Amino acid sequence: QVRLVESGGGLVHPGASLNLSCTASVIVFRLYDANWYRQAPGKERELVASIGTKGGVKYADFAKGRFTMSRDNKKNAAYLQMNGLEPDDAAVYYCNAHRDWYAGDVSDFWGQGTQVTVSS
């Protein structure tokens, strides 16, 4: 059974940093685009950052300049380094692995999420 496990969340003060990790099992992680999403209470889930199979990264506007996404395919892992955290960054952060196969099938896997709380 495919598993994505996030870790690294926690309670921090404004301006602090966190490094989230996502580790995948069963799937050949290097074949998948990896994404970080977040969902705050009462809000829709939103995309934070994406990294493609070749390493190209895209960020949501709110993440540019503060967050850095990376991957290590040898460790089947993706990371999200978050600096300068603000109260608005508080949310559950989810890891997603996605692939559109040539035959038209789609594989989409989610982790259980890790809570990030930013409060003074």
Side-chain angles (χ1 to χ4, degrees), residues 10-90:
L11 170 62
V12 296
H13 294 303
S17 299
L18 284 173
N19 189 24
L20 305 184
S21 298
C22 170
T23 302
S25 61
V26 180
I27 60 173
V28 181
F29 188 65
R30 62 179 173 82
L31 298 180
Y32 288 73
D33 296 331
N35 307 293
W36 284 100
Y37 286 80
R38 70 184 188 183
Q39 187 167 20
K43 295 186 177 180
E44 294 187 353
R45 189 172 296 190
E46 60 181 350
L47 181 64
V48 178
S50 298
I51 188 166
T53 56
K54 297 183 180 180
V57 185
K58 297 181 180 179
Y59 297 96
D61 286 344
F62 62 79
K64 292 178 181 177
R66 299 190 300 132
F67 296 179
T68 302
M69 185 174 184
S70 60
R71 69 189 301 163
D72 184 341
N73 290 332
K74 292 183 179 179
K75 296 182 178 180
N76 282 351
Y79 307 97
L80 185 67
Q81 175 66 41
M82 304 188 294
N83 299 325
L85 285 164
E86 304 167 353
D88 284 348
D89 294 317

Side-chain angles (χ1 to χ4, degrees), residues 72-116:
D72 184 341
N73 290 332
K74 292 183 179 179
K75 296 182 178 180
N76 282 351
Y79 307 97
L80 185 67
Q81 175 66 41
M82 304 188 294
N83 299 325
L85 285 164
E86 304 167 353
D88 284 348
D89 294 317
V92 178
Y93 283 70
Y94 296 93
C95 179
N96 167 260
H98 182 92
R99 180 176 171 91
D100 295 316
W101 299 92
Y102 296 120
D105 294 332
V106 175
S107 293
D108 199 62
F109 302 105
W110 292 87
Q112 82 290 348
T114 185
Q115 178 71 50
V116 172

